[in-house]
Amino acid sequence: MESSTLDALDRQLLQALETDGRAPFSKIAAVLGVSDQTIARRFRKLTAEAGLRVVALRNAERLGQDHWMLRLRCAPDGAQTIAHALARRPDTFWVGLASGGTEVLCMTKPRTPGDHYLLLGKLPRTPHIVEIRAHQLLHTFFGGPRGWLGKLAPLSDEQLAALTPALPAPAAGPVRITPEDEPLVAALEADGRATHPELQRATGLSESSVKRRLSALLASRAVFIDIEYDAEPLGYRSGATLWITAAPAVLHSVGEALAGHDEIAYVAATAGPSNLVATVVATDTAGLYAYVSGKLGRLEGVQHVETAPFLRRVKQLTYQPTR
């Protein structure tokens, strides 16, 4: 479906940034066959109309850190306040209202292994929370460094190859972010396209040191550059979280099948009453129903599905209270 707001070039630029968020506008322009000024203008348009931001994320899998998806059933008069309070925290990266505004969904990203203050300390004492369900994420089938825009395929294979960074194969085992690198990572979390001089000023390092440390962080996959944006201007106005129970013997095959569906933006295996959680995006409510009753319903081994439609996203990667 073509968007009435964003055209084919906008979509190509989004996928270009999803592929390499730090690529110079001149490189993107050359690959897409337009001028540098056109790319800069379209970037500003996407920032204003689609909430585009380029930021760095810590790679929990490479860092050996646990992630959790929290389902908070709330009194209706407290759900929005709780959602915005969670969104302001640095240890969350996705917060949304679902199920008619009676449920807050939140993904956590503890900064250190074993840091579960939010889950064990803060939330149980929060008024208006009726029930807390915590689902540890065990394995990601799709999401993280793998972006959903690739499923829309606005870029050709040749364009995608020209924009994909040439990174060495990462070393086996977990990696770490050193205390010396924390200021650099923090600056990139605020602006993934910050220039080397801007990163130099933020860290106090020399420009050559910034370039060397940034290259090492990206090569190790300790961090990756990602983009956030609104899907609605792309023509996708409906979404939901799916809590899926699959037979244990086919859990992995169901997860892999879901990862291949164009409608799935994220899917992971979880601990808890259900063993898969997925984010589905659709053009409208009818499209959401068609997916749940069609592709998903036909998957062998799926025993139960709970659908929690999104009411509103409060935070994707960053908290933007004015939007």
Side-chain angles (χ1 to χ4, degrees):
M1 173 180 176
E2 289 298 321
S3 167
S4 60
T5 304
L6 304 183
D7 63 16
L9 180 58
D10 293 321
R11 291 177 176 228
Q12 288 181 320
L13 176 53
L14 282 173
Q15 193 188 0
L17 292 168
E18 186 179 74
T19 303
D20 182 3
R22 291 188 58 80
F25 285 167
S26 57
K27 179 179 180 179
I28 297 174
V31 171
L32 300 187
V34 296
S35 69
D36 298 10
Q37 293 81 3
T38 296
I39 292 300
R41 185 172 65 252
R42 293 301 184 101
F43 183 87
R44 292 192 296 268
K45 170 189 173 183
L46 290 168
T47 300
E49 297 183 9
L52 172 64
R53 289 201 67 194
V54 181
V55 295
L57 290 183
R58 298 166 192 254
N59 191 334
E61 183 177 351
R62 291 289 293 149
L63 293 169
Q65 297 176 345
D66 291 337
H67 272 190
W68 294 74
M69 170 74 89
L70 307 180
R71 299 184 68 181
L72 312 177
R73 190 160 61 88
C74 306
D77 60 343
Q80 288 201 50
T81 300
I82 291 168
H84 283 279
L86 287 169
R88 286 191 291 269
R89 295 181 58 93
D91 53 356
T92 64
F93 69 100
W94 196 96
V95 180
L97 290 167
S99 304
T102 61
E103 184 173 74
V104 176
L105 302 176
C106 171
M107 293 187 75
T108 70
K109 52 174 184 179
R111 292 302 178 106
T112 58
D115 177 15
H116 300 306
Y117 171 71
L118 176 62
L119 179 58
L120 301 178
K122 181 70 174 177
L123 289 177
R125 301 195 302 269
T126 303
H128 303 292
I129 293 181
V130 178
E131 181 184 30
I132 301 173
R133 292 186 184 181
H135 302 257
Q136 185 179 1
L137 304 180
L138 304 178
H139 176 76
T140 301
F141 294 98
F142 186 83
R146 298 174 63 191
W148 173 69
L149 285 165
K151 294 184 176 183
L152 301 183
L155 294 178
S156 68
D157 291 343
E158 292 77 12
Q159 289 172 324
L160 193 60
L163 289 165
T164 300
L167 296 176
V175 296
R176 64 187 294 262
I177 296 173
T178 66
E180 292 76 18
D181 282 333
E182 284 292 344
L184 175 59
V185 174
L188 291 166
E189 287 176 324
D191 180 5
R193 290 187 61 82
T195 64
H196 290 132
E198 289 170 338
L199 294 174
Q200 179 185 359
R201 290 192 292 271
T203 61
L205 299 172
S206 67
E207 189 167 341
S208 61
S209 294
V210 164
K211 291 179 180 179
R212 184 175 65 254
R213 293 308 310 150
L214 175 57
S215 295
L217 285 169
L218 294 175
S220 71
R221 308 332 193 255
V223 300
F224 61 94
I225 307 299
D226 202 358
I227 62 172
E228 67 174 356
Y229 55 91
D230 298 331
E232 186 169 343
L234 287 167
Y236 296 86
R237 297 180 293 277
S238 294
T241 295
L242 305 176
W243 301 95
I244 302 168
T245 303
V250 295
L251 172 62
H252 191 78
S253 62
V254 170
E256 291 286 352
L258 289 168
H261 290 178
D262 290 349
E263 298 86 350
I264 295 296
Y266 176 83
V267 59
T270 74
S274 55
N275 52 17
L276 286 164
V277 61
T279 299
V280 57
V281 265
T283 55
D284 51 27
T285 303
L288 177 60
Y289 172 75
Y291 175 74
V292 173
S293 63
K295 281 186 184 179
L296 179 58
R298 290 191 295 268
L299 277 182
E300 186 176 352
V302 172
Q303 299 174 331
H304 179 76
V305 178
E306 180 184 355
T307 305
F310 297 143
L311 182 65
R312 186 163 61 87
R313 186 188 75 196
V314 179
K315 178 181 184 180
Q316 186 174 344
L317 306 178
T318 61
Y319 181 50
Q320 302 178 61
T322 57
R323 284 195 57 82

